[in-house]
Amino acid sequence: MAIAAAEPTAVRAFGPGTALSCRECGERYELSPSFACQFCFGPLEIAYDFGNVTREEIESGPKNIWRYRSLLPVPTNVAELPNMNPGFTPLVRADRLAAELGLKSLHVKDDSANPTHSFKDRVVAIAVEAARTFGFTTLSCSSTGNLAGAVGAAAARAGFESCVFIPAGLEEGKVVMAAVYGGKVVAIDGNYDDVNRFCSELIGDEAGESWGFTNVNLRPYYAEGSKTLAYEIAEQLGWRLPEQIVVPIASGSQLTKIDKGFQELIKVGLVEDRPYKVFGAQATGCSPVAKAWENGHDVIQPVKPDTIAKSLAIGNPADGPYVLDIAERTGGSVEHVGDDEIVDAIKLLARTEGVFAETAGGVTTGVLHKLVREGRIDPEAETVIVNTGDGLKTLNAVDSGVTATIKPSLDAFKAQGLV
Ligand SMILES: Cc1ncc(COP(=O)(O)O)c(C=O)c1O
Ligand SMILES: [Zn+2]
């Protein structure tokens, strides 16, 4: 008698994700498009039941974030679905920058090498899958610029309508990047915190109730995308955690999820448990978390941003208190640098490593420089900095240009004294 073929394994819409769990009180909810606890208003996070995850399984996966799908809340067949498939960006060994700063071992995780040139492709990739599962047809977000571009592109690829909200006055590169994919781009006369408040209102209104806002009602899913940065850094170091990492902060989500990613790798046994220090980086003109750290406060005082680092210009960062906890727990800190130092740092990174960062990368590199100068980071320890975005989107921040304009003749060139 013929043996019946085994039933194909059913696709699990959230992979190892089992529930939403309140970060504050631990209350559990079923997986749904919600983001705040009904009891204490704490943020909701994905809870997991990880199976046996091996290095071999990951290493044989695609060269993008889906190689970590058994650690992410995405459908088990995610690699077959239309998505931007970001990730597996270079971990650049930064020997020349290390030598200039006096560090023994430094790497730059260059996340400008993503499809829309920022780390936001990672978070959006997860949010798109959640939006698909929940049946949303429009993708939206409140954005400081990079997220708008990532949402526009992902919506186009995956077949969603899109409508994104940004503060008026963003850099041209970011506005064009958001608009070119054909979705709606709405600039709001105000800063990011005004945009975010507006989006919260829109979600509560019938006009927006069927929309998937990547960083609002889909935030628990979206935020998990940043864990892949931690996974990749560890894998690219040879399945080892770095000893020190410097991460830029806007809402603080990315920093908290890099820490969560490291903790998960330890928990499932993919890396050895060794101490690591997490350092947060802000621009002085928008440094509510760094100021709270400096003053020893555990409450963040919101600020009105005024900095060239517009991608980091969130005056009331949702995950700020968790950033302070992580810096404290790991022995790191939260620092800030002014606009002039940001520009100098963009040029330093470009001149030494050939990596052209946007202003957020300037903040991170500038903070690294400051930590070294002030003797507050260990120069002997294995250090990683994260470049989260591409300098081509913030061209006006740097005043670089041609060295000379000449007639096409050898004499004219020699007359410049350049050789
Ligand atoms: C280039 C870049 N880096 C870092 C961040 C910080 O992200 P988070 O809000 O997760 O702290 C952002 C946020 O918009 C960004 O655009
Ligand atoms: Zn709660």
Side-chain angles (χ1 to χ4, degrees):
M1 203 171 85
I3 298 170
E7 280 286 310
T9 318
V11 170
R12 274 175 291 126
F14 297 101
T18 54
L20 290 173
S21 160
C22 173
R23 183 154 180 161
E24 287 298 323
C25 75
E27 183 69 24
R28 290 204 164 210
Y29 301 86
E30 68 180 46
L31 290 158
S32 64
S34 43
F35 57 102
C37 177
Q38 287 166 18
F39 294 96
C40 74
F41 304 109
L44 300 181
E45 284 192 319
I46 311 288
Y48 294 97
D49 182 6
F50 295 132
N52 179 30
V53 188
T54 65
R55 292 179 183 178
E56 292 69 31
E57 172 207 320
I58 291 170
E59 286 164 0
S60 65
K63 287 225 166 346
N64 56 49
I65 61 171
W66 306 134
R67 67 204 275 110
Y68 308 106
R69 64 188 174 280
S70 45
L71 297 165
L72 296 169
V74 292
T76 37
N77 66 339
V78 66
E80 297 154 28
L81 303 173
N83 195 297
M84 299 298 285
N85 304 330
F88 223 69
T89 54
L91 184 71
V92 179
R93 203 183 153 86
D95 287 343
R96 281 170 42 78
L97 178 56
E100 186 139 342
L101 298 181
L103 297 175
K104 189 168 161 204
S105 164
L106 177 65
H107 286 86
V108 180
K109 177 64 172 166
D110 188 10
D111 237 31
S112 66
N114 268 314
T116 71
H117 307 277
S118 88
F119 89 99
K120 293 289 184 183
D121 290 317
R122 296 176 184 273
V123 283
V124 170
I126 313 282
V128 161
E129 296 310 329
R132 204 182 340 247
T133 299
F134 294 130
F136 292 124
T137 51
T138 299
L139 278 188
S140 186
C141 66
S142 53
S143 171
T144 57
N146 284 307
L147 178 58
V151 166
R157 171 77 54 89
F160 289 84
E161 300 284 316
S162 72
C163 180
V164 299
F165 299 94
I166 54 175
L170 279 190
E171 301 95 336
E172 191 187 359
K174 292 196 181 139
V175 176
V176 171
M177 190 100 187
V180 74
Y181 306 105
K184 299 185 187 82
V185 179
V186 179
I188 290 189
D189 190 11
N191 61 30
Y192 173 82
D193 299 286
D194 298 316
V195 178
N196 208 26
R197 256 193 310 277
F198 165 81
C199 286
S200 301
E201 249 184 83
L202 179 54
I203 282 181
D205 189 272
E206 62 184 43
E209 71 184 5
S210 64
W211 290 19
F213 284 79
T214 58
N215 57 335
V216 190
N217 57 356
L218 297 174
R219 192 173 181 84
Y221 308 87
Y222 155 100
E224 293 295 283
S226 288
K227 293 191 311 184
T228 59
L229 266 165
Y231 301 154
E232 287 178 20
I233 290 168
E235 183 181 351
Q236 289 167 319
L237 285 175
W239 293 109
R240 206 172 60 236
L241 301 183
E243 294 174 286
Q244 305 179 133
I245 183 163
V246 188
V247 184
I249 302 167
S251 71
S253 171
Q254 184 191 44
L255 185 145
T256 63
K257 296 299 173 176
I258 287 179
D259 175 60
K260 190 174 185 226
F262 287 158
Q263 291 299 320
E264 287 174 352
L265 291 181
I266 295 169
K267 189 172 161 211
V268 300
L270 286 169
V271 298
E272 204 177 290
D273 187 359
R274 76 160 171 175
Y276 59 87
K277 295 183 179 182
V278 182
F279 297 86
Q282 294 205 292
T284 305
C286 182
S287 49
V289 191
K291 293 283 160 53
W293 176 266
E294 215 166 76
N295 298 324
H297 297 159
D298 50 14
V299 175
I300 311 276
Q301 204 64 44
V303 301
K304 251 196 157 48
D306 180 14
T307 169
I308 57 166
K310 294 186 184 189
S311 56
L312 302 183
I314 297 186
N316 190 10
D319 289 313
Y322 301 122
V323 168
L324 295 174
D325 290 347
I326 291 164
E328 173 94 44
R329 191 191 82 230
T330 64
S333 65
V334 190
E335 306 293 337
H336 59 93
V337 282
D339 286 359
D340 289 348
E341 290 164 284
I342 295 169
V343 173
D344 288 348
I346 291 173
K347 292 179 178 173
L348 172 66
L349 181 60
R351 174 168 65 72
T352 53
E353 297 299 340
V355 172
F356 183 21
E358 75 136 88
T359 44
V363 169
T364 311
T365 310
V367 161
L368 172 71
H369 197 170
K370 182 178 178 183
L371 289 165
V372 176
R373 231 174 21 238
E374 297 182 355
R376 288 185 295 121
I377 198 164
D378 179 359
E380 298 295 314
E382 187 159 51
T383 304
V384 172
I385 59 174
V386 185
N387 175 40
T388 48
D390 194 323
L392 287 172
K393 293 200 212 179
T394 58
L395 284 176
N396 287 345
V398 285
D399 58 1
S400 302
V402 296
T403 309
T405 302
I406 58 167
K407 296 270 183 262
S409 85
L410 213 46
D411 283 349
F413 178 55
K414 287 185 175 167
Q416 294 291 326
L418 297 172
V419 282

